[in-house]
Amino acid sequence: MNPSPPITHNFADDGRIPNNPTLPLILYRGGIDLTGSPDPEDVIEKAFAANGWGEMWRNGIYPYAHYHSMIHEAMGVARGRATVRFGGEHGQEIEIVPGDVVILPAGTGHQCLKQTPTLVVIGAYPPSGKYNLCRGSKAEHVKALVTIPKVPPPAVDPVFGPNGPLLALWRS
């Protein structure tokens, strides 16, 4: 694991995508070392599982703006590249590449704008919370403003474990 310093982003509520009012998105550039691995998906899955993040999936990132209002999410890039807009329509476009890990606090909008044909992302969730998919309707937004603050912070960083930067960044 590469202990590169985390990059954080905070996004404002845009009226459609609530984002998270207190917790920043965290990006670990090269957070998981995939050098020479014939199965980068397995490397990422093992790292997430070793730190108690489960309910994993292998896929890309949806091409429409969405968020999860009842759970946090980690995404690790195994193959390919993608340009993802985080934070909704007025958020930020970020290119993610193999080895990068993005940790999205509940409410953070994300949408894939461009991707290579080889893109494979591993997603995972902490054991606390409940998966839901919100696409930014007014009714979802109203409910999300109530549920987002109730989502507990994870006990363990999905990449760096119990002493990872996520814990300090999300508790300060």
Side-chain angles (χ1 to χ4, degrees), residues 5-45:
I7 300 165
T8 61
H9 297 276
N10 291 88
F11 304 107
D13 183 333
D14 68 7
R16 185 171 165 245
I17 304 292
N19 293 300
N20 195 296
T22 57
L23 305 178
L25 171 147
I26 298 172
L27 170 61
Y28 295 135
R29 287 277 183 210
I32 298 180
D33 184 5
L34 302 176
T35 306
S37 174
D39 190 353
E41 294 86 353
D42 187 56
V43 173
I44 294 170
E45 288 171 347

Side-chain angles (χ1 to χ4, degrees), residues 39-159:
D39 190 353
E41 294 86 353
D42 187 56
V43 173
I44 294 170
E45 288 171 347
K46 284 181 179 174
F48 288 167
N51 291 307
W53 286 59
E55 301 293 322
M56 286 183 239
W57 51 264
R58 289 184 184 193
N59 203 341
I61 300 169
Y62 293 137
Y64 52 84
H66 66 285
Y67 63 94
H68 313 291
S69 68
M70 298 166 61
I71 198 161
H72 307 298
E73 180 176 35
M75 296 188 302
V77 181
R79 298 177 194 269
R81 298 172 167 264
T83 300
V84 180
R85 182 170 46 220
F86 294 101
E89 189 175 327
H90 304 290
Q92 184 168 354
E93 293 181 20
I94 300 173
E95 183 178 34
I96 52 176
V97 301
D100 288 352
V101 176
V102 182
I103 306 165
L104 304 163
T108 303
H110 45 297
Q111 173 184 13
C112 186
L113 301 175
K114 290 186 266 181
Q115 69 179 49
T116 60
T118 57
L119 180 68
V120 178
V121 175
I122 307 301
Y125 305 96
S128 57
K130 180 180 177 185
Y131 177 84
N132 68 334
L133 179 68
C134 303
R135 295 189 57 173
S137 73
K138 287 185 182 194
E140 287 172 334
H141 186 269
V142 169
K143 289 179 186 175
L145 294 177
V146 174
T147 59
I148 290 168
K150 295 179 182 177
V151 179
V156 178
D157 185 303
V159 178

